[in-house]
Structures are given as structure tokens and as C-alpha cells.
Amino acid sequence: MATTLDAKIPTGPLEEKWQKHKNESKLVSPANKRKLDVIVVGSGLAGGSAAATLGELGYNVRCFCYQDSPRRAHSIAAQGGINAAKNYQNDGDSVYRLFYDTIKGGDFRSREGNVYRLAEVSVNIIDQCVAQGVPFAREYGGLLANRSFGGAQVSRTFYARGQTGQQLLLGAYQALSRQIAAGSVKMYPRTEMLELVVVEGQAKGIITRDLLTGKIQAHAGDTVVLASGGYGNAFYLSTNAKGCNVTAAYRAYKRGAFFANPCYTQIHPTCIPVAGSYQSKLTLMSESLRNDGRVWVPKQKGDKRPPDQIPEAERDYYLERKYPSYGNLAPRDIASRAAKEACDTGRGVGPGGLGVYLDFADAIKRFGEKTIRERYGNLFDMYHNITGENAYKAPMRIYPAVHYTMGGLWVDYNLMSNLPGLHVLGEANFSDHGANRLGASALMQGLADGYFVIPYTLGNYLATQMGKKVSVDRPEFKAAEQETRARIERFLSIRGKRTVADFHRELGLLLWEKCGMARDAAGLKEALQRIPELRQEFWEDVNVLGGGEEFNQALEYAGRVADFLEFAELMCLDALERDESCGGHFRVEYQTEDGEALRNDDDFCHVAAWQYAGPDSRPIRNVEPLIFENVKLAQRSYK
Amino acid sequence: MNFKLKVWRQKGPNVAGQFVDYEARDIPADASFLEMLDIVNEGLIKRNEDQIAFDSDCREGICGMCSLVINGIAHGPGKAKTSCQLYMRRFKDGDTIWVEPFRAITFPVVRDLCTNRSALDRMIEAGGYITARTGSAPEANSIPIGKVVADLAMEAAACIGCGACVAACPNSSAMLFVSAKVSHLGLLPQGQPERTSRVVSMVRKMDELGFGNCTNHYECEAVCPSEISASFISRLNRDYARAATRQAAVLV
Ligand SMILES: Cc1cc2nc3c(=O)[nH]c(=O)nc-3n(C[C@H](O)[C@H](O)[C@H](O)COP(=O)(O)OP(=O)(O)OC[C@H]3O[C@@H](n4cnc5c(N)ncnc54)[C@H](O)[C@@H]3O)c2cc1C
Ligand code: FES
């Protein structure tokens, strides 16, 4: 039976909700905090900041990551920047405007209460990071500098060269290191969570595998905080790090946590185009480049002339043409679709015609090469290194690629799942970006969740859990351990003919074609037919060598791909059931006359939260209605 | 392109390792070094042989996970890049390529090309941070920091913590790594209160963990993917000397 979910948004005026909620939240006394065990899975911006802060507050924290050091979490790769409503540029920014831009950018598919809180705490994040020593870019006078990002007409993005994620993560990692040294956090690097343990309806622990020794271990705690990142790697090729996975979130889903909006994936417009089947990942060229780069394709179909021989009049600066007020800074979903459309009409450039130009010639003329080098030097170097081409001389070639996932585990205003005791932060949850995330907002959300939200809201759950500790001797832990071991043995015993990567590539291509930038019912139905077949082939014919009780990268990979092979079905099902277009979810059947996403607010102004119903049953689609008290739903316009 | 590989294989931390020969065939020139290893590994799996273990994650030169010694050089030939950013077009068709893990006593091999570099984390835990309780921070623009200083701090902060500096140093010294953190935080006004204790604790931890001394070989700077300048080591030495006199003064 489908249920209607309650997000527990506090009542009252938008601007007062969070303060009111903080005032009314339950506190845990310092003496009791010491008795409470918090399990944090993930050491990225969300998990790292949460573990550090919760440790500092006096909880007993255990933090897990699969890399060899918490500092290497995927957040490290974020380039462009982090938004905050500081209004340092005096250009009309405000908490309300950041809130509104985020709601609109998400195509009116996110919660007002959550997004307003996000905009509100954004200013504290910058203060916190500066205090930790994050070397943000500054002006000559010594004050903080800003740049513009897509979907906004103000300059509110803070950055540290092209390495903003790295610097923010190092800030969180250093705070975490201080707690590790103080003994309040115990860190488990190279340790993967493979199962969530539920005791009497509450999330009470996890099962992990030590990646170095293969040891399976049960961990019991008073609550579990998941901050395991996004599932973009379901597509095989994406801008995510190789190890990014859905395993932690998907295992929680199979234990009863609802998975919200899995079809909302973000395809980033500015990535280096695919070059061949040997490729293991795609590389992002930061959106900040669109501040100075102009996107164009030849007007004429199949124009094979080199870019410098195509005269100005024969170029189509299609973003500037279609969206004059935002131009090259149109939001990501719109910019990506426009690039696809240009290529679909035969005007793409580069090998295979799957690329558009991002041209800096005008900016170089205007500001000089030195300034452009100062702003984007590392990105131009990266581009040169990968493609062997010099973007100071010829335009970059870019194409959209899978980048971020707005969908994730369902959480309420406290960031708690419908499964009590399970909290979900960062990209792993679904709460703030609706159907499309604006640039520089993921870093903001991860740090908001970890530094400023969970430390306040966790008490609401933990205050009810005093004296209810469970031990790993409980049958629920033994059973979950047993299942984990059995699964590993099953992988190792198949000894088929195909490699794990081979299956992953096939799945990725299928998702890209049927559930990528443009989707339709027929294609999604085909995918829903093919995925279970592919999964069956995997379990019959995959070849995973080596043993379970050793360092075995093939085995790690097999586990992740096996979960993608199940999860992919949920993505397609969600995309099929959502009979509308919104943000990154573009159903070809639903578009306006000029090809923009056509929402259906009457029937789909809600969150779809999927409930696992057993291996052979169709999952149940629950809904959370989205209620807009402050914002009027409108068709997004960036014209 | 085709290559002959000589790859270090070692089953675990406590067993002996050796170089094993492999052929890398039909490698696209635009493939990265790690993609070349992926292709070799897929071939191995098809022949039911254990794949070569190597670390990587971001594959864009920022996470510091990849850590190969290629033809005797940490992260391979070329300036300012990690192993994952090395592309096969850099080699000649038919080349023989030697691939090893980072070598240092403080980085024990865990399998094949993977090592345990947690000693780097231990040094940060010893003091590589600024104590700033969450929620207690003053307004960000209340302390202006001149662009020149901020930029220099950023140069030091750019360290990706891969440990190539240690692997390249004949003494397995971690001075470049420590000096980068000490300089990053010590240059900023926010880092002043703990400047003395930080440098002392980090250097002490470095010695305790068994990293060697710096005898000015500059191999670290040469292989650093983030181009961290060895001049930060001089800054570290100055800070350390200053700290020693201050601490002595406090003790008297
Ligand atoms: C190339 C790139 C550039 C980006 N640039 C920007 C930008 O400029 N601005 C912006 O706002 N956003 C940007 N983003 C998005 C942003 O970086 C991410 O959304 C954000 O960093 C996610 O943080 P997180 O803490 O939720 O997860 P992550 O940083 O992905 O961390 C996940 C953590 O979980 C751990 N983990 C995962 N699975 C398991 C498991 N099964 N067991 C144990 N541990 C596990 C990992 O080890 C890791 O520590 C970018 C993303 C990419 C790919
Ligand atoms: S894999 Fe991240 S730096 Fe090489």
C-alpha cells in the first residue's frame, strides 16, 4: 500500500522555520553524548564535516570510507565553487534570492522549507571555512572574491582557484583529524559498508568489509549517518571518481529506507567529449568557464572547416540566441539539452559530431591571455593534457556528461529517513535540488548538512534512544553478516567469461541511451526489459577471481556493479512513471513548442519515494506532496 | 600502440615481490596510463589470472590516490602530473615500461602497486589543522588577507597528499608534505595561535614515524604533481627554529 509521506516541515513563516525548529529540538546532555555511538559512512564534505562536528560535540563517532584516507573522498574533485548569500558584491543578493534561484533552478520540485534553510546557513559555511584556513580567492584589498555560476544573475560563488572542493574538503578533513587525534572519532579507511542492520524497525548498525584483509565486521551504534555520495557511476562513464557507488544507499533501500526521485540525474554541459571505448571516466571542465567562454556550433549542418575558418556570421551562439538574459550561464539541464539538440541536428563538432565549441577568443581579446590563465590556468592545462589541444589558441570541444544525482534516499526536515535512526546527508539524500541542481550548490548542501543541520537535528532522534543500545551479538547482525559473506562467495564461485567492467559498460550505455538526457516511454520500457536480462547474465557469466579474505579490487568492483544492475531498474521505473518533463528529467513526449521541459504540476508536483517490496515484486511508489506557500509555480524562463 | 611492461607483483605486505613481464597490446595513444593498465587487467581476467592491483579514484589528478613509480620516477615522466594524468602518447611504440609502487619504509606495500600511506594522515592529526569549533567562526570578511599572502597560502594548500615527495626522496623524508601544511596554515592570520605548537608537533611526529631528514636533494619538488615549492621547506625550518626558541623561553 502506498503511503503519503510527511516531511515534518515546521509550521510558521518561511524565515522563522529553522530558528523555531532549533529552539524546539531536543538536546542531549554532555554526559549522555559520551554514551551515544554514531556511525558515519562517508568522509566527503557531508560525512567529514558531520563526523568532525559530532565528535567535537562529544558523541562517540566511527567514520568509514573506502579510500585509503578520508581526505580523498570524491568531494575533493569539485572545481568551480560554493554558493553563499553573503551579498559581498552588493549586487542585490539575499537569502531569499538564493532560495528562489535554487527552487526555480530545481524546476519547482524541491521543498521550500529545506531550501530556505540551506540558503540561510550558506553564510555560516563561508565563515566556518575561512576560520579553518580555507584559502578562498581574494581581491587585492584582502576581501573575499566571487564569481558567477549558472542559473543566477548575481555573483555569489566563492572559490579557491579551480580547486574549491579540495580546499573545503581539506578544511573538513583537518577538523576531522583533530577529532581523530582527540579520540572522539575513530576512522576506518579502506573499509566498505556492505549492509545496513535494522533492529526492531530502527537502523542500528552496519556490516563492513575491511578492503585490505577482507575481514567482515559488524558495527552497532545508536544511529547511522549515511553520507556516501551519488550514484552517477550507474552510467559507467561519468565525471565521478571511479569508486563512487550506490551500494550504501541501495542496501539501506533494501532494508526499508525509501529511495526518492532516482530518475533525477544531472548531465553537466561542459565535459571533455568521449574519445573511445577504452575510456574509464569523463572529465569535467568547470562551469565557471562559462563566465568567459562562449558556446557555439556552425550554423550549417556538417560544416567540417576548422573553427578559425568559420566566420562570425556562420556561427550559432545558440545559448545567447535562445536565452538572451542568461546567455552562456543558462542552468545545466538547459545548456546540456541545447548542446544535444545542436548535435542531433548534425551541427556537432569534432570526432563523431558529438561536441560543441567553448570559445575563449573574445575573452582573451578583452582581458588578455594572462588574466584568462590566472582564472582558469589549471583547467586549460588539464584540457591540454587530456586532448593534446591548446585552448588558448583554438576553442575547447565540450559535450554533456553524467555528473551529479539529485535523487537519493528520502529524508525529512531532520535529515532522517522514513527508516528511524537512519540519517542521510549530502549527495546521498534527495532533499534540496529538486529536478536540477545549480552549480556550486552541492558543496553548499554537503557542508550545510554536516556542519549546521545534523548537529542540531540528530538530538531529536537520539534523545529517544537512551538506554536502548543493541549489541552485535543480536541475531539481526549475525544474519546480515551471513548474507554478506554468502554474497561474496557467490561472486567468487561463478567463474564465468565476462569481466565486471564489460557488464558495467553495457549497463552504462543502455542507461545513457534510454534514461539519459532525453527519455521516452518506449525507450524506458525497453531498458526495463533489458536490465533484468543483463543482471541475470551477470550472475551467470561474470568472472571474479581471487579470494574473499584478501585485498581484492575485482571483488569490490563486482559488488558495486551488482548493485547498479538492480538500481538501474529503479531509475528507469521512476522515469517512466513521471509523466512530465522537469529539470534534468526530460521526457520527449512532454515539451513546449520551443522544446523546453513541460511540467505537469497537477499530477506530479510531488516527490516519488520508492519502497522496496521484495526481490520479485514491483517496488511501491509513495509520494510526498510538495507544498508551495511562498513561491508561485511558474514555467522556468531563462530568456 | 604496443608496450612491454615490467610490473611489480606482490601478494601481500609480508611476502616477497618481483617484477613480472606483461604485454600491453593495441593501446590507443589517447588512453591514460591507468586506462592502459585497465586494458591489461581485462586481458588478465580473461586468461583467469589475477589482475594487477593499483590505486586510483578521481583519475583527474586531485585525490592523490594513484601512486605509481613509472620508469623509476614517482608518477612517471613529465612535470606536475599524477600517474592518472599520464597519457600513452608520451611513450614510443614498443617501449619497455617499468611499473612499481611508491617505495619508502613508511609506506609498506599492501599488494602489487598499492601501499599504505596512512603515516601522512598521522602527521596531519598531530597538528595540521586550525582549531575552529563549528559555529564559533567570526564573519568571514572581518579579517582581510592580502591577495599575495592568500595566493601563497593557496600554493602550499594545493598539496594533494599523494606522497610522491616521500617516494622520490633518497632519505624518504616528508619535509615537503609537512612544510606545505605548516606554510599553508602559518601564512594565514587564522593559523597564528597554533603556529608554534603545530610545527613542533608535526615535525616530531614525522621523526617518530620514521621519515628521514631533508638533505637538499630537491627530488621531492621535481616530482610533485602540485608543484609545491621546496622554498616552503626553508619556511618550515625557520618556523621550527623560531618555535624551538619560543618553547625554550616558555619553559624557563
Ligand atoms: C568533477 C566534479 C566537480 C564538481 N564541482 C562542483 C562545484 O564546483 N561545486 C559544487 O557545489 N559541486 C560540485 N560537484 C558536486 C560535488 O562535488 C558533490 O556532489 C559533493 O562533493 C558530494 O559530497 P558528499 O560528501 O555527499 O559525497 P562524496 O564526497 O562523494 O563522499 C562520499 C564518501 O562516502 C564514502 N563511501 C561511499 N560509498 C561507501 C561505502 N559503500 N562504504 C564506505 N564508504 C563509502 C566515500 O569513501 C567518501 O568518503 C562536482 C562534482 C564532480 C564530479
Ligand atoms: S586518481 Fe586521483 S590523483 Fe590520480
Side-chain angles (χ1 to χ4, degrees), chain A residues 392-408:
Chain A
Y392 294 104
K393 299 275 169 283
M396 283 184 183
R397 279 178 304 106
I398 53 162
Y399 196 67
V402 175
H403 177 61
Y404 180 87
T405 53
M406 282 77 68

Side-chain angles (χ1 to χ4, degrees), chain A residues 72 76 241-242, chain B residues 34 55-67 75 82-85 160 162 225:
Chain A
R72 307 200 200 288
I76 200 99
K242 289 296 286 174
Chain B
L34 301 189
D55 274 322
S56 80
D57 203 24
C58 74
R59 297 206 175 185
E60 15 187 282
I62 191 77
C63 74
M65 190 93 181
C66 62
S67 42
H75 289 314
T82 51
S83 312
C84 63
Q85 290 175 299
I160 63 169
C162 62

Side-chain angles (χ1 to χ4, degrees), chain A residues 40-49 63-83 147 149 157-159 162-165 168-169 187-195 206-209 211 226-230 238-241 243-249 251 266 268 271 281-288 332 382 402-405 425-429 433 437-447 449 560 563, chain B residues 57-58 60 62:
Chain A
V40 179
V41 180
S43 65
L45 286 181
S49 60
C63 182
F64 300 81
C65 73
Y66 69 75
Q67 293 91 349
D68 68 341
S69 162
R71 69 178 288 152
R72 307 200 200 288
H74 167 59
S75 295
I76 200 99
Q79 302 170 350
I82 176 166
N83 287 332
R147 55 166 59 140
F149 250 64
T157 305
F158 294 78
Y159 62 101
Q163 289 136 273
T164 317
L168 295 175
L169 184 62
M187 187 69 218
Y188 293 80
R190 289 216 204 248
T191 307
E192 185 164 23
M193 164 186 164
L194 294 178
E195 205 54 82
I206 60 173
I207 307 294
T208 60
R209 180 170 180 273
L211 299 181
L226 269 193
S228 50
S238 85
T239 62
N240 288 9
C244 290
N245 65 85
V246 76
T247 292
R251 298 276 122 199
Q266 176 162 83
H268 195 293
C271 302
K281 74 158 285 168
L282 296 175
T283 304
L284 174 80
M285 290 283 104
S286 167
E287 172 165 318
S288 58
R332 291 178 175 172
M382 200 193 293
V402 175
H403 177 61
Y404 180 87
T405 53
L425 321 184
E427 194 172 338
N429 76 21
H433 306 293
R437 174 175 71 78
L438 290 183
S441 285
L443 301 183
M444 170 170 72
Q445 183 226 333
L447 291 180
D449 288 0
R560 293 173 191 155
D563 286 333
Chain B
D57 203 24
C58 74
E60 15 187 282
I62 191 77

Side-chain angles (χ1 to χ4, degrees), chain A residues 395-474:
Chain A
M396 283 184 183
R397 279 178 304 106
I398 53 162
Y399 196 67
V402 175
H403 177 61
Y404 180 87
T405 53
M406 282 77 68
L409 291 174
W410 187 87
V411 287
D412 64 13
Y413 193 70
N414 285 322
L415 301 182
M416 187 161 89
S417 155
N418 61 294
L419 179 61
L422 177 70
H423 294 82
V424 192
L425 321 184
E427 194 172 338
N429 76 21
F430 88 106
S431 65
D432 295 357
H433 306 293
N436 172 57
R437 174 175 71 78
L438 290 183
S441 285
L443 301 183
M444 170 170 72
Q445 183 226 333
L447 291 180
D449 288 0
Y451 284 135
F452 296 110
V453 180
I454 199 71
Y456 289 94
T457 60
L458 198 61
N460 286 324
Y461 175 73
L462 287 176
T464 67
Q465 296 301 304
M466 295 311 303
K468 296 194 184 158
K469 241 181 221 328
V470 301
S471 113
V472 292
D473 298 330
R474 298 217 24 155

